Amino acid sequence: MARRAREDDDRTWGMKVTESLLRFFGPASIRRTPPIPPSAEDLARDAALRSSLQRVTRPDGHVYLVERQD
């Protein structure tokens, strides 16, 4: 079990290191506004890709795309 500096401090050393890096990298960026819906152009591009490509999963778990054989 990880040692703690003070009895009331429940953070492990890994949490302390991560928190010390926040001053350099900052916290995660969180969007406070509603999501922007995709444009018609993006939806058309997505539909074209989904109709021409197929997702294949190898036995080792890797996923890749191949052209559909229609």
Side-chain angles (χ1 to χ4, degrees), residues 1-17:
M1 184 164 175
R3 294 185 322 181
R4 294 185 171 90
R6 294 185 323 216
E7 195 62 35
D8 62 337
D9 189 5
D10 63 346
R11 299 176 300 162
T12 62
W13 68 270
M15 291 173 66
K16 291 177 186 176
V17 169

Side-chain angles (χ1 to χ4, degrees), residues 22-68:
L22 286 176
R23 73 179 70 140
F24 302 107
F25 298 109
S29 182
I30 300 173
R31 177 177 231 143
R32 302 276 185 211
T33 59
I36 300 170
S39 66
E41 181 181 289
D42 289 338
L43 293 173
R45 180 176 179 269
D46 184 58
L49 287 173
R50 288 182 185 270
S51 66
S52 65
L53 298 174
Q54 177 180 359
R55 181 178 294 154
V56 177
T57 305
R58 295 191 310 202
D60 62 359
H62 285 88
V63 177
Y64 60 98
L65 299 174
V66 295
E67 288 189 47
R68 287 189 186 270

